[in-house]
Amino acid sequence: QKEVEQDPGPLSVPEGAIVSLNCTYSNSAFQYFMWYRQYSRKGPELLMYTYSSGNKEDGRFTAQVDKSSKYISLFIRDSQPSDSATYLCAMKVSGYALNFGKGTSLLVTP
Amino acid sequence: GAGVSQTPSNKVTEKGKYVELRCDPISGHTALYWYRQSLGQGPEFLIYFQGTGAADDSGLPNDRFFAVRPEGSVSTLKIQRTERGDSAVYLCASSPNMGTEAFFGQGTRLTVV
């Protein structure tokens, strides 16, 4: 079993919908949680960064971390066609490298 | 530079050849990571530097892979006797220190024919 599990999708939603992306993990030592967006043939772009449990909001994006359930989420409000990409969750223990999920492919249709 | 820079962006090499991939991190970032990404997969950890030293090289798949960061800035990933299975996108990331967010470059797409 991988340490980070993420449904690869694909996930298709109409423009304006609320998107929910999720990851589960098995290592209770993870402290730092990130979401990256990756467009085709590009490097991952950092979207959200959170430390420990709780919520963080940045514009249309909200990241949630529930350490008791080992579950993290990314919500995208008012989704746009330009949000179509692969979304990668990543997490780490301080002093160690990032562990990634497989990524969820999202398509927002006009 | 403003971001992490990786060169070349694309590299095609013949099976059995030696290749070097370069990463120039964000200025002042002490931590540097190498990852490998195959189609449809998330990035797979290879090696992580803190300063000049390799803090964790447990992700290197075998002894054909080696990486250096002699002055604590630019890093080079070296692959000897390349195999077709080495074909992937090689990503580099840097972060200000061990506990903060990591920023990625655009990657080097390596194709071994």
Side-chain angles (χ1 to χ4, degrees), chain B residues 44-97:
Chain B
E44 172 194 16
F45 170 69
L46 295 176
I47 186 169
Y48 156 45
F49 288 90
Q50 181 62 33
T52 60
D56 183 355
D57 64 359
S58 62
L60 294 176
N62 52 59
D63 61 5
R64 295 187 298 107
F65 288 74
F66 189 69
V68 295
R69 194 186 185 200
E71 297 178 357
S73 179
V74 170
S75 176
T76 304
L77 178 66
K78 309 180 182 201
I79 310 174
Q80 298 177 319
R81 304 183 304 280
T82 51
E83 300 177 357
R84 293 196 178 87
D86 298 334
S87 297
V89 176
Y90 288 81
L91 295 165
C92 176
S94 69
S95 64
N97 55 53

